[in-house]
Amino acid sequence: MDDRIRAHAETLVDWSARVDPGDEVVMRVAEGAHDLAVAVAAELGARGATLLATYGSDEVTRAYLRAHDDEFATPDAERALYEEADVYLSLGGGRNTTATADVPGERQGAYARAREDAREARMATDWVSTVHPTRSLAQAAGMSYEAYQDFVYDAVLRDWESLADEMGQLKDVLDAGSEVRLVTEDTDLTLSIENRTAVNSAASVAYDSHNLPSGEVFTAPADAEGHVTFDVPITVQGRRLRDARLVFEDGQVVDFSAAEGEDALAALLDTDAGARRLGELGVGMNRGITRPTDSVLFDEKMAGTVHLAIGRAYDACLPAGESGNESAVHTDLITRMDEGSRLLVDGEVIQRDGLFRWADGFES
Amino acid sequence: MDDRIRAHAETLVDWSARVDPGDEVVMRVAEGAHDLAVAVAAELGARGATLLATYGSDEVTRAYLRAHDDEFATPDAERALYEEADVYLSLGGGRNTTATADVPGERQGAYARAREDAREARMATDWVSTVHPTRSLAQAAGMSYEAYQDFVYDAVLRDWESLADEMGQLKDVLDAGSEVRLVTEDTDLTLSIENRTAVNSAASVAYDSHNLPSGEVFTAPADAEGHVTFDVPITVQGRRLRDARLVFEDGQVVDFSAAEGEDALAALLDTDAGARRLGELGVGMNRGITRPTDSVLFDEKMAGTVHLAIGRAYDACLPAGESGNESAVHTDLITRMDEGSRLLVDGEVIQRDGLFRWADGFES
């Protein structure tokens, strides 16, 4: 077995999920994630945790959903499983990223709604999502298998402790600040972050961070004014979206365009009222991620990028009792902060040309 | 997909497990059983059952157990899952029948004991075990993959309703009878079945039968007298056992021999006091199984064979409140009932030369 698979498993169990002896662990294994599952099982065994593995097969789900009608019963068994679990580890990595492409969206939605109680019980555990590099994911990224493996392990096998420290510096700035301004060649956007709390997403439940890899600091902005262009292409509802440009007034999108996928962007913005407002401002700080791979799990963490999500805000960023922007969607749009870019908090330059003010080479 | 996989899934869900709309189903998927899992998921979806798939990977289990010490916590999550489930479907079919060969037996035993509550909750569901034909199982059977697939589907895709009717006739004879005598060239054994109830094991929970394929009628005998030779080879604790011969007096083994594996037989008989007595008399009646494949699930159901199990008796065969033979083991030993053989109940010939008295060609 590739030593990096073992290191991935150890990072997941120790740094990310903080598994303790006696913890009850449910591990979801995607069709292509067998090797990582074997490595994680060894880590769990060594720590004296319990283990129940579930099979997260897209092909099984597709067959089930296509044969089912649109009325789903609420599964008590699945809910009961998660209610008794302390930790939930999702090992993604399928064999075909489009395995459920021929399942109607309404049916997928009805199925998700019927399992809402189970989902809530699962989210109440110390849950962590990660992915095992598969050929299917390499293909989706437009990469060879070997290069994609290198890519994933560069992203996952970081010195998380030191990255968490670095990200803590940005969190402190954002927590203390009231206003963020983003400037690039095609962007000049001002956002309020008054009374909002930033999350230091350091790929560990100890930081309220549930993805491995992670490596971003994010908060919930309000009152967007100005324009922003997203030069990292993404796929939205199966459609390519390139160079999306949004214009904001009073926090709301008043104009938009895209070099490709403008229809998909229009449909997204029309989902509901909250889909025209921002739910997240995130700053990618994972230097292991050096290129986009059309996977938001990785792309939004890329060092030297900032992302803004249209739609729902995360509760963790909001004052207790306050609900932020609400929407059925949360779609991350990403822009590069390279040569000529600035990120300012309350007028002070925090990042210039992609370099933070605490980095070597930063020009104040 | 091979049409036989769909037919297998339909037989499992309809005939065997009797899945109803709204039933909560847990489906265990072995490493090599993916295709059957997809077919079963479609059947469950069509019936409006819920579905949670678990991953029954021997390699995951091996990694977990080898890393663990000998003290296992009792898993509440797994127990809770089965307690809420109505149906449990185990889809066997691994990729290596010896995948856990390097896990110490004591550790496997300790793990099983810690999960006893979960096992009981699982056995309280309408559970059914079946296997998907894999290359690994073909290899264990000494067969090509294609021939093994034919073999499995011949065994599974029976006219179960008509076989259940035929087996019902034997059950009636055994329920009414007091004494069974088995005679072959190397066997003359007399057993008491007074007050015992035979099980018509017709591969359906409606018949208290939990294996697909099944196709046997079995009961719990007592007071064995005489000798018996088992000419179908089996593997006991990893050792080949060929032409085992047992001599019984007062229900107990007083002498034994084997052409191969006599040591393993001796160890088996020495397990505990109950290991020298019989727990089961079974009559194989599945005509789709025409050859042994070193898998007890199939071999003991083979038409034209009788098996006797050393060790533990099944409660279903015993009068209420009575406990039959008790032992930590239950090992089936199989003998052919071909040319020259007789099976008698209370002195009446029920089977001669492998033919039952209700079959064409039976000579009374």
Side-chain angles (χ1 to χ4, degrees):
Chain A
M1 183 182 285
D2 187 328
D3 280 345
R4 297 175 301 179
I5 301 178
R6 291 191 207 285
H8 186 175
E10 194 183 340
T11 302
L12 177 67
V13 169
D14 277 353
W15 172 262
S16 296
R18 311 276 160 130
V19 173
D20 287 319
D23 273 357
E24 298 232 5
V25 179
V26 175
M27 171 175 75
R28 174 185 171 275
V29 185
E31 279 173 39
H34 175 81
D35 288 354
L36 178 58
V38 169
V40 172
E43 297 297 326
L44 295 174
R47 273 151 200 82
T50 74
L51 169 59
L52 182 95
T54 64
Y55 189 44
S57 160
D58 289 337
E59 290 186 354
V60 166
T61 300
R62 170 190 178 270
Y64 177 76
L65 290 179
R66 280 178 63 93
H68 207 290
D69 59 26
D70 287 332
E71 305 248 322
F72 291 88
T74 295
D76 292 327
E78 194 175 350
R79 179 190 42 72
L81 171 68
Y82 299 136
E83 278 176 356
E84 296 289 339
D86 301 301
V87 174
Y88 177 80
L89 305 175
S90 175
L91 314 187
R95 297 189 291 188
N96 174 2
T97 59
T98 57
T100 60
D102 53 3
V103 179
E106 310 90 75
R107 190 164 299 169
Q108 300 200 38
Y111 184 51
R113 282 191 297 279
R115 294 160 75 224
E116 184 55 31
D117 288 355
R119 199 188 73 93
E120 274 186 23
R122 202 173 66 219
M123 303 298 269
T125 67
D126 284 338
W127 65 274
V128 182
S129 280
T130 193
V131 295
H132 183 62
T134 62
R135 288 170 178 83
S136 153
L137 292 172
Q139 177 178 322
M143 294 170 75
S144 71
Y145 183 42
E146 188 175 347
Y148 185 71
Q149 288 175 303
D150 291 346
F151 168 80
V152 168
Y153 294 120
D154 281 350
V156 164
L157 303 179
R158 310 303 304 169
D159 179 346
W160 286 106
E161 196 115 37
S162 115
L163 181 53
D165 287 346
E166 185 192 349
M167 295 198 298
Q169 297 180 68
L170 179 58
K171 171 182 161 56
D172 291 345
V173 170
L174 294 175
D175 285 350
S178 305
E179 188 189 88
V180 170
R181 187 171 160 218
L182 300 175
V183 182
T184 73
E185 201 184 326
D186 311 307
T187 296
D188 193 343
L189 187 73
T190 303
L191 306 160
S192 165
I193 54 165
E194 184 93 47
N195 293 323
R196 301 299 168 95
T197 306
V199 171
N200 178 350
S201 184
S204 170
V205 296
Y207 288 87
D208 271 325
S209 173
H210 299 274
N211 291 335
L212 178 66
S214 190
E216 62 168 317
V217 176
F218 63 88
T219 189
D223 304 333
E225 287 287 343
H227 64 277
V228 51
T229 303
F230 301 98
D231 57 358
V232 175
I234 63 164
T235 299
V236 176
Q237 297 167 346
R239 301 277 302 282
R240 192 76 169 166
L241 181 60
R242 209 161 47 78
D243 290 336
R245 185 172 191 274
L246 301 178
V247 180
F248 288 89
E249 281 177 25
D250 288 336
Q252 195 166 314
V253 175
V254 294
D255 195 15
F256 66 90
S257 65
E260 187 181 344
E262 194 171 294
D263 290 359
L265 180 59
L268 187 67
L269 295 168
D270 281 345
T271 309
D272 51 32
R276 291 204 161 231
R277 295 177 171 277
L278 294 177
E280 182 190 352
L281 160 69
V283 181
M285 296 179 68
N286 186 327
R287 281 187 291 273
I289 304 174
T290 52
R291 53 165 289 178
T293 54
D294 199 17
S295 161
V296 71
L297 173 67
F298 292 89
D299 292 358
E300 66 171 9
K301 318 299 189 327
M302 184 164 43
T305 66
V306 163
H307 56 279
L308 295 165
I310 275 174
R312 184 170 43 81
Y314 292 118
D315 287 344
C317 302
L318 303 164
E322 191 174 316
S323 67
N325 192 37
E326 289 180 4
S327 172
V329 298
H330 177 103
T331 301
D332 294 287
L333 302 165
I334 306 165
T335 194
R336 289 177 194 274
M337 299 296 281
D338 40 24
E339 198 68 28
S341 72
R342 278 172 298 150
L343 187 160
L344 303 95
V345 176
D346 295 342
E348 196 179 339
V349 178
I350 304 301
Q351 188 195 54
R352 185 198 306 278
D353 302 335
L355 286 179
F356 286 101
R357 68 175 188 199
W358 49 81
D360 289 344
F362 175 80
E363 288 173 27
S364 60
Chain B
M1 184 182 284
D2 188 327
D3 280 345
R4 297 176 300 182
I5 301 178
R6 290 191 207 286
H8 187 174
E10 196 184 339
T11 301
L12 177 67
V13 169
D14 277 353
W15 172 263
S16 296
R18 311 278 159 130
V19 173
D20 287 320
D23 273 356
E24 298 233 3
V25 179
V26 175
M27 171 175 75
R28 174 185 172 274
V29 184
E31 280 173 38
H34 176 80
D35 289 354
L36 179 59
V38 169
V40 171
E43 297 298 325
L44 295 174
R47 274 153 199 79
T50 74
L51 169 59
L52 183 96
T54 64
Y55 189 44
S57 161
D58 289 337
E59 289 185 355
V60 166
T61 301
R62 170 191 178 269
Y64 176 75
L65 291 179
R66 280 178 63 95
H68 206 291
D69 58 25
D70 287 332
E71 304 249 322
F72 290 88
T74 296
D76 292 326
E78 194 175 351
R79 179 188 43 71
L81 172 68
Y82 299 135
E83 278 176 354
E84 295 290 338
D86 302 301
V87 174
Y88 177 78
L89 304 175
S90 175
L91 315 187
R95 297 189 292 188
N96 174 2
T97 59
T98 56
T100 60
D102 53 3
V103 179
E106 311 90 75
R107 191 164 298 168
Q108 299 200 37
Y111 185 51
R113 282 192 296 279
R115 293 161 76 225
E116 184 56 29
D117 289 354
R119 198 187 75 93
E120 274 186 24
R122 204 172 65 219
M123 303 297 270
T125 68
D126 284 338
W127 65 274
V128 182
S129 281
T130 193
V131 296
H132 182 62
T134 62
R135 288 171 179 81
S136 153
L137 292 173
Q139 177 179 324
M143 293 170 76
S144 70
Y145 183 42
E146 189 176 346
Y148 185 71
Q149 288 174 304
D150 292 345
F151 167 80
V152 168
Y153 294 120
D154 281 349
V156 164
L157 303 180
R158 307 307 301 169
D159 179 346
W160 285 105
E161 196 115 36
S162 114
L163 181 53
D165 287 346
E166 184 191 349
M167 294 196 300
Q169 296 181 68
L170 180 59
K171 170 182 161 58
D172 290 345
V173 169
L174 294 175
D175 284 351
S178 305
E179 188 189 89
V180 170
R181 188 172 160 217
L182 300 175
V183 182
T184 72
E185 201 183 325
D186 310 308
T187 296
D188 191 344
L189 187 73
T190 302
L191 306 160
S192 166
I193 55 165
E194 184 92 46
N195 292 324
R196 301 297 167 96
T197 305
V199 171
N200 178 350
S201 182
S204 170
V205 296
Y207 288 87
D208 271 326
S209 172
H210 299 274
N211 291 333
L212 176 66
S214 189
E216 63 166 319
V217 176
F218 64 87
T219 190
D223 303 333
E225 287 286 344
H227 63 278
V228 50
T229 304
F230 301 99
D231 57 359
V232 175
I234 63 165
T235 301
V236 176
Q237 297 167 344
R239 301 278 301 282
R240 192 76 169 165
L241 180 60
R242 209 161 48 77
D243 291 335
R245 185 172 191 274
L246 301 179
V247 180
F248 287 90
E249 280 176 25
D250 288 334
Q252 196 166 315
V253 174
V254 292
D255 196 15
F256 65 91
S257 65
E260 188 181 342
E262 194 171 295
D263 289 0
L265 180 59
L268 187 67
L269 294 169
D270 281 345
T271 309
D272 50 32
R276 292 205 162 230
R277 295 178 171 275
L278 293 177
E280 182 191 352
L281 160 69
V283 181
M285 295 179 68
N286 186 328
R287 280 185 294 272
I289 305 174
T290 52
R291 53 165 289 177
T293 55
D294 200 17
S295 160
V296 72
L297 173 65
F298 291 89
D299 293 357
E300 66 170 8
K301 316 301 190 324
M302 184 163 44
T305 66
V306 162
H307 55 279
L308 295 165
I310 275 174
R312 184 170 42 82
Y314 292 119
D315 287 344
C317 303
L318 303 165
E322 191 174 315
S323 68
N325 192 37
E326 289 180 3
S327 173
V329 297
H330 177 104
T331 301
D332 294 286
L333 304 165
I334 306 165
T335 193
R336 290 178 194 271
M337 299 296 281
D338 41 24
E339 199 67 27
S341 72
R342 279 173 298 151
L343 186 160
L344 302 95
V345 176
D346 295 343
E348 194 179 340
V349 179
I350 304 300
Q351 189 194 54
R352 186 198 304 279
D353 302 335
L355 287 178
F356 286 101
R357 67 176 187 198
W358 49 80
D360 290 344
F362 175 79
E363 287 173 27
S364 61

mmCIF file with all atom_site columns, all heavy atoms in Angstrom, chain B residues 65-77:
data_model
loop_
_atom_site.group_PDB
_atom_site.id
_atom_site.type_symbol
_atom_site.label_atom_id
_atom_site.label_alt_id
_atom_site.label_comp_id
_atom_site.label_asym_id
_atom_site.label_entity_id
_atom_site.label_seq_id
_atom_site.pdbx_PDB_ins_code
_atom_site.Cartn_x
_atom_site.Cartn_y
_atom_site.Cartn_z
_atom_site.occupancy
_atom_site.B_iso_or_equiv
_atom_site.pdbx_formal_charge
_atom_site.auth_seq_id
_atom_site.auth_comp_id
_atom_site.auth_asym_id
_atom_site.auth_atom_id
_atom_site.pdbx_PDB_model_num
ATOM 1   N N   . LEU B 1 65 ? -9.068  -5.597  12.827 1.00 0.00 ? 65 LEU B N   1
ATOM 2   C CA  . LEU B 1 65 ? -8.795  -6.582  13.880 1.00 0.00 ? 65 LEU B CA  1
ATOM 3   C C   . LEU B 1 65 ? -7.301  -6.715  14.163 1.00 0.00 ? 65 LEU B C   1
ATOM 4   O O   . LEU B 1 65 ? -6.898  -6.846  15.325 1.00 0.00 ? 65 LEU B O   1
ATOM 5   C CB  . LEU B 1 65 ? -9.384  -7.942  13.505 1.00 0.00 ? 65 LEU B CB  1
ATOM 6   C CG  . LEU B 1 65 ? -10.914 -8.015  13.508 1.00 0.00 ? 65 LEU B CG  1
ATOM 7   C CD1 . LEU B 1 65 ? -11.385 -9.406  13.097 1.00 0.00 ? 65 LEU B CD1 1
ATOM 8   C CD2 . LEU B 1 65 ? -11.476 -7.663  14.886 1.00 0.00 ? 65 LEU B CD2 1
ATOM 9   N N   . ARG B 1 66 ? -6.478  -6.685  13.139 1.00 0.00 ? 66 ARG B N   1
ATOM 10  C CA  . ARG B 1 66 ? -5.037  -6.829  13.368 1.00 0.00 ? 66 ARG B CA  1
ATOM 11  C C   . ARG B 1 66 ? -4.474  -5.650  14.163 1.00 0.00 ? 66 ARG B C   1
ATOM 12  O O   . ARG B 1 66 ? -3.527  -5.807  14.932 1.00 0.00 ? 66 ARG B O   1
ATOM 13  C CB  . ARG B 1 66 ? -4.291  -6.983  12.046 1.00 0.00 ? 66 ARG B CB  1
ATOM 14  C CG  . ARG B 1 66 ? -4.359  -8.405  11.501 1.00 0.00 ? 66 ARG B CG  1
ATOM 15  C CD  . ARG B 1 66 ? -3.651  -8.520  10.167 1.00 0.00 ? 66 ARG B CD  1
ATOM 16  N NE  . ARG B 1 66 ? -2.236  -8.228  10.261 1.00 0.00 ? 66 ARG B NE  1
ATOM 17  C CZ  . ARG B 1 66 ? -1.283  -9.148  10.419 1.00 0.00 ? 66 ARG B CZ  1
ATOM 18  N NH1 . ARG B 1 66 ? -1.609  -10.422 10.538 1.00 0.00 ? 66 ARG B NH1 1
ATOM 19  N NH2 . ARG B 1 66 ? -0.021  -8.804  10.459 1.00 0.00 ? 66 ARG B NH2 1
ATOM 20  N N   . ALA B 1 67 ? -5.078  -4.468  13.969 1.00 0.00 ? 67 ALA B N   1
ATOM 21  C CA  . ALA B 1 67 ? -4.571  -3.287  14.678 1.00 0.00 ? 67 ALA B CA  1
ATOM 22  C C   . ALA B 1 67 ? -5.134  -3.186  16.092 1.00 0.00 ? 67 ALA B C   1
ATOM 23  O O   . ALA B 1 67 ? -4.570  -2.508  16.947 1.00 0.00 ? 67 ALA B O   1
ATOM 24  C CB  . ALA B 1 67 ? -4.924  -2.021  13.888 1.00 0.00 ? 67 ALA B CB  1
ATOM 25  N N   . HIS B 1 68 ? -6.258  -3.865  16.328 1.00 0.00 ? 68 HIS B N   1
ATOM 26  C CA  . HIS B 1 68 ? -6.957  -3.765  17.617 1.00 0.00 ? 68 HIS B CA  1
ATOM 27  C C   . HIS B 1 68 ? -6.295  -4.704  18.630 1.00 0.00 ? 68 HIS B C   1
ATOM 28  O O   . HIS B 1 68 ? -5.636  -5.662  18.255 1.00 0.00 ? 68 HIS B O   1
ATOM 29  C CB  . HIS B 1 68 ? -8.421  -4.169  17.399 1.00 0.00 ? 68 HIS B CB  1
ATOM 30  C CG  . HIS B 1 68 ? -9.383  -3.556  18.380 1.00 0.00 ? 68 HIS B CG  1
ATOM 31  N ND1 . HIS B 1 68 ? -9.420  -3.900  19.701 1.00 0.00 ? 68 HIS B ND1 1
ATOM 32  C CD2 . HIS B 1 68 ? -10.341 -2.622  18.213 1.00 0.00 ? 68 HIS B CD2 1
ATOM 33  C CE1 . HIS B 1 68 ? -10.371 -3.199  20.323 1.00 0.00 ? 68 HIS B CE1 1
ATOM 34  N NE2 . HIS B 1 68 ? -10.944 -2.407  19.429 1.00 0.00 ? 68 HIS B NE2 1
ATOM 35  N N   . ASP B 1 69 ? -6.507  -4.426  19.916 1.00 0.00 ? 69 ASP B N   1
ATOM 36  C CA  . ASP B 1 69 ? -6.086  -5.401  20.919 1.00 0.00 ? 69 ASP B CA  1
ATOM 37  C C   . ASP B 1 69 ? -7.236  -6.392  21.150 1.00 0.00 ? 69 ASP B C   1
ATOM 38  O O   . ASP B 1 69 ? -8.196  -6.410  20.386 1.00 0.00 ? 69 ASP B O   1
ATOM 39  C CB  . ASP B 1 69 ? -5.656  -4.694  22.219 1.00 0.00 ? 69 ASP B CB  1
ATOM 40  C CG  . ASP B 1 69 ? -6.770  -3.843  22.804 1.00 0.00 ? 69 ASP B CG  1
ATOM 41  O OD1 . ASP B 1 69 ? -7.960  -4.136  22.542 1.00 0.00 ? 69 ASP B OD1 1
ATOM 42  O OD2 . ASP B 1 69 ? -6.469  -2.868  23.517 1.00 0.00 ? 69 ASP B OD2 1
ATOM 43  N N   . ASP B 1 70 ? -7.155  -7.202  22.197 1.00 0.00 ? 70 ASP B N   1
ATOM 44  C CA  . ASP B 1 70 ? -8.161  -8.250  22.374 1.00 0.00 ? 70 ASP B CA  1
ATOM 45  C C   . ASP B 1 70 ? -9.394  -7.803  23.162 1.00 0.00 ? 70 ASP B C   1
ATOM 46  O O   . ASP B 1 70 ? -10.281 -8.602  23.442 1.00 0.00 ? 70 ASP B O   1
ATOM 47  C CB  . ASP B 1 70 ? -7.532  -9.480  23.055 1.00 0.00 ? 70 ASP B CB  1
ATOM 48  C CG  . ASP B 1 70 ? -6.617  -10.237 22.105 1.00 0.00 ? 70 ASP B CG  1
ATOM 49  O OD1 . ASP B 1 70 ? -6.866  -10.181 20.877 1.00 0.00 ? 70 ASP B OD1 1
ATOM 50  O OD2 . ASP B 1 70 ? -5.655  -10.868 22.585 1.00 0.00 ? 70 ASP B OD2 1
ATOM 51  N N   . GLU B 1 71 ? -9.435  -6.530  23.569 1.00 0.00 ? 71 GLU B N   1
ATOM 52  C CA  . GLU B 1 71 ? -10.593 -6.029  24.331 1.00 0.00 ? 71 GLU B CA  1
ATOM 53  C C   . GLU B 1 71 ? -11.437 -5.135  23.433 1.00 0.00 ? 71 GLU B C   1
ATOM 54  O O   . GLU B 1 71 ? -10.989 -4.048  23.066 1.00 0.00 ? 71 GLU B O   1
ATOM 55  C CB  . GLU B 1 71 ? -10.124 -5.209  25.531 1.00 0.00 ? 71 GLU B CB  1
ATOM 56  C CG  . GLU B 1 71 ? -9.179  -5.939  26.454 1.00 0.00 ? 71 GLU B CG  1
ATOM 57  C CD  . GLU B 1 71 ? -9.826  -6.232  27.800 1.00 0.00 ? 71 GLU B CD  1
ATOM 58  O OE1 . GLU B 1 71 ? -10.576 -5.363  28.296 1.00 0.00 ? 71 GLU B OE1 1
ATOM 59  O OE2 . GLU B 1 71 ? -9.580  -7.330  28.336 1.00 0.00 ? 71 GLU B OE2 1
ATOM 60  N N   . PHE B 1 72 ? -12.636 -5.582  23.118 1.00 0.00 ? 72 PHE B N   1
ATOM 61  C CA  . PHE B 1 72 ? -13.495 -4.833  22.202 1.00 0.00 ? 72 PHE B CA  1
ATOM 62  C C   . PHE B 1 72 ? -14.656 -4.192  22.958 1.00 0.00 ? 72 PHE B C   1
ATOM 63  O O   . PHE B 1 72 ? -15.258 -4.827  23.823 1.00 0.00 ? 72 PHE B O   1
ATOM 64  C CB  . PHE B 1 72 ? -14.050 -5.758  21.120 1.00 0.00 ? 72 PHE B CB  1
ATOM 65  C CG  . PHE B 1 72 ? -13.008 -6.228  20.152 1.00 0.00 ? 72 PHE B CG  1
ATOM 66  C CD1 . PHE B 1 72 ? -12.273 -7.381  20.412 1.00 0.00 ? 72 PHE B CD1 1
ATOM 67  C CD2 . PHE B 1 72 ? -12.738 -5.512  18.997 1.00 0.00 ? 72 PHE B CD2 1
ATOM 68  C CE1 . PHE B 1 72 ? -11.291 -7.813  19.538 1.00 0.00 ? 72 PHE B CE1 1
ATOM 69  C CE2 . PHE B 1 72 ? -11.761 -5.931  18.113 1.00 0.00 ? 72 PHE B CE2 1
ATOM 70  C CZ  . PHE B 1 72 ? -11.034 -7.092  18.386 1.00 0.00 ? 72 PHE B CZ  1
ATOM 71  N N   . ALA B 1 73 ? -14.953 -2.947  22.613 1.00 0.00 ? 73 ALA B N   1
ATOM 72  C CA  . ALA B 1 73 ? -16.139 -2.286  23.153 1.00 0.00 ? 73 ALA B CA  1
ATOM 73  C C   . ALA B 1 73 ? -17.372 -2.837  22.440 1.00 0.00 ? 73 ALA B C   1
ATOM 74  O O   . ALA B 1 73 ? -17.293 -3.313  21.307 1.00 0.00 ? 73 ALA B O   1
ATOM 75  C CB  . ALA B 1 73 ? -16.040 -0.776  22.944 1.00 0.00 ? 73 ALA B CB  1
ATOM 76  N N   . THR B 1 74 ? -18.514 -2.775  23.110 1.00 0.00 ? 74 THR B N   1
ATOM 77  C CA  . THR B 1 74 ? -19.783 -3.218  22.523 1.00 0.00 ? 74 THR B CA  1
ATOM 78  C C   . THR B 1 74 ? -20.376 -2.074  21.703 1.00 0.00 ? 74 THR B C   1
ATOM 79  O O   . THR B 1 74 ? -20.587 -0.984  22.226 1.00 0.00 ? 74 THR B O   1
ATOM 80  C CB  . THR B 1 74 ? -20.757 -3.622  23.646 1.00 0.00 ? 74 THR B CB  1
ATOM 81  O OG1 . THR B 1 74 ? -20.203 -4.752  24.322 1.00 0.00 ? 74 THR B OG1 1
ATOM 82  C CG2 . THR B 1 74 ? -22.118 -3.997  23.083 1.00 0.00 ? 74 THR B CG2 1
ATOM 83  N N   . PRO B 1 75 ? -20.612 -2.304  20.405 1.00 0.00 ? 75 PRO B N   1
ATOM 84  C CA  . PRO B 1 75 ? -21.063 -1.205  19.543 1.00 0.00 ? 75 PRO B CA  1
ATOM 85  C C   . PRO B 1 75 ? -22.568 -0.940  19.648 1.00 0.00 ? 75 PRO B C   1
ATOM 86  O O   . PRO B 1 75 ? -23.382 -1.736  19.192 1.00 0.00 ? 75 PRO B O   1
ATOM 87  C CB  . PRO B 1 75 ? -20.700 -1.702  18.141 1.00 0.00 ? 75 PRO B CB  1
ATOM 88  C CG  . PRO B 1 75 ? -20.745 -3.198  18.245 1.00 0.00 ? 75 PRO B CG  1
ATOM 89  C CD  . PRO B 1 75 ? -20.434 -3.557  19.669 1.00 0.00 ? 75 PRO B CD  1
ATOM 90  N N   . ASP B 1 76 ? -22.934 0.191   20.243 1.00 0.00 ? 76 ASP B N   1
ATOM 91  C CA  . ASP B 1 76 ? -24.353 0.549   20.348 1.00 0.00 ? 76 ASP B CA  1
ATOM 92  C C   . ASP B 1 76 ? -24.926 0.975   18.997 1.00 0.00 ? 76 ASP B C   1
ATOM 93  O O   . ASP B 1 76 ? -26.110 0.771   18.730 1.00 0.00 ? 76 ASP B O   1
ATOM 94  C CB  . ASP B 1 76 ? -24.535 1.697   21.345 1.00 0.00 ? 76 ASP B CB  1
ATOM 95  C CG  . ASP B 1 76 ? -24.232 1.246   22.766 1.00 0.00 ? 76 ASP B CG  1
ATOM 96  O OD1 . ASP B 1 76 ? -24.508 0.073   23.084 1.00 0.00 ? 76 ASP B OD1 1
ATOM 97  O OD2 . ASP B 1 76 ? -23.721 2.061   23.544 1.00 0.00 ? 76 ASP B OD2 1
ATOM 98  N N   . ALA B 1 77 ? -24.099 1.607   18.167 1.00 0.00 ? 77 ALA B N   1
ATOM 99  C CA  . ALA B 1 77 ? -24.597 2.123   16.886 1.00 0.00 ? 77 ALA B CA  1
ATOM 100 C C   . ALA B 1 77 ? -25.072 0.971   16.001 1.00 0.00 ? 77 ALA B C   1
ATOM 101 O O   . ALA B 1 77 ? -26.154 1.025   15.415 1.00 0.00 ? 77 ALA B O   1
ATOM 102 C CB  . ALA B 1 77 ? -23.512 2.944   16.186 1.00 0.00 ? 77 ALA B CB  1
#
